[in-house]
Amino acid sequence: ASVISLVKSFEDGVSQGKANDGNNIGAQKTGVVWSACDKLTGSLPKGNRAAMRRELMVWVRDCNESIEEFEEVLSLGPLDDDDDDDGDDAMMDEDQYRGKEMKVAKASMNVMKCSKNLLGLVLKACECVGEHADKLSQGGNEVAEAGGEESTTILEHPDDSAEKQQMDDKRREMLRWISNLHEMARTVGEGVTNVGILLYPPLDFANDQEELEKWQAKKPKTTAIDEFTIPSLGSTTLGLQLEHQLYALSECIESVHGTSLPVLGESFQSCLSEEVVNAAVRLRKAIPVRCREVEEAIAVWDQDGLGK
């Protein structure tokens, strides 16, 4: 609005005048625009990593809001499947799950909670690796692992160009790992929103053959976590989205758990704090549990003939 006002003042001639005539409208409006620009730049993230961090925090916030909203719906309890009331009662029923929808809704909610926890873990992991990447760029720092504990060796005179190049390559790889993990987290964060859109009662379990064919064409042939297989959750819109989300969770947590440089292949798990490492182990174990819960819930729904 300030910019528009400034442009219009010159266009209308309001800001134009003769020398020493006391007309300072143009200066005043320019000052308003300048002040607005200063305020805007002050609120912007300083650098790419800060921008990524802010985006991750937005996704975590959105997850919390979605979880709170659907926990309220679940707290209402199940609606009687035989309730055929009309009028105002029927309108209120639209905010409540039917008995046979509750298990699917609860399993979906657990997937959303797992997604939120993973996004929080990604945020901490990126901060850990980012700090070590910074150390490598300050005077030629080299992160090493000695006796199972992390240590930092400062090269006061990094005259060896090959060694310095190796450190630069490692730092770039760390930053690339952060960027790759951020993109995986984006898929997880946006997936929570997509699941939430489909989770409002009454649940729509209509088949979507077109989306099923698209998903089968691009679905990963293997699971990122080798110890288990993500189940096929049918051809319903919600089932397909949950399957998408479970694959995204699997890929993202395995990247944190494995923590290896994208090109060099070198592990740098020593960069992660003990809190991050332990949380990654717990979440890695939780994903197969979430898979079983969703698979069983949708199987019960299909047995009742409601998911066909």
Side-chain angles (χ1 to χ4, degrees), residues 46-92:
K46 302 297 189 293
N48 291 337
R49 274 171 45 201
M52 289 181 180
R53 186 176 188 276
R54 173 177 290 189
E55 197 168 22
L56 283 166
M57 294 178 70
V58 168
W59 292 330
V60 172
R61 182 200 65 196
D62 291 346
C63 285
N64 281 327
E65 291 177 353
S66 295
I67 290 169
E68 290 176 4
E69 180 179 5
F70 289 109
E71 279 183 338
E72 289 182 7
V73 179
L74 286 170
S75 68
L76 298 175
L79 178 70
D80 187 351
D81 288 333
D82 298 326
D83 191 352
D84 295 325
D85 290 344
D86 296 326
D88 294 338
D89 289 340
M91 293 295 292
M92 294 177 62

Side-chain angles (χ1 to χ4, degrees), residues 173-192:
E173 283 287 273
M174 285 181 172
L175 296 179
R176 183 179 300 175
W177 180 86
I178 291 175
S179 178
N180 291 346
L181 185 61
H182 175 262
E183 288 305 310
M184 295 178 196
R186 180 192 301 280
T187 303
V188 173
E190 293 176 350
V192 171

Side-chain angles (χ1 to χ4, degrees), residues 185-206:
R186 180 192 301 280
T187 303
V188 173
E190 293 176 350
V192 171
T193 300
N194 294 334
V195 170
I197 291 172
L198 299 171
L199 208 53
Y200 288 99
L203 296 182
D204 180 9
F205 261 66

Side-chain angles (χ1 to χ4, degrees), residues 216-238:
Q216 288 178 336
K218 66 179 182 180
K219 182 167 67 173
K221 302 301 181 184
T222 58
T223 306
I225 302 176
D226 295 333
E227 290 83 352
F228 81 102
T229 301
I230 294 176
S232 175
L233 299 177
S235 59
T236 63
T237 306
L238 179 57

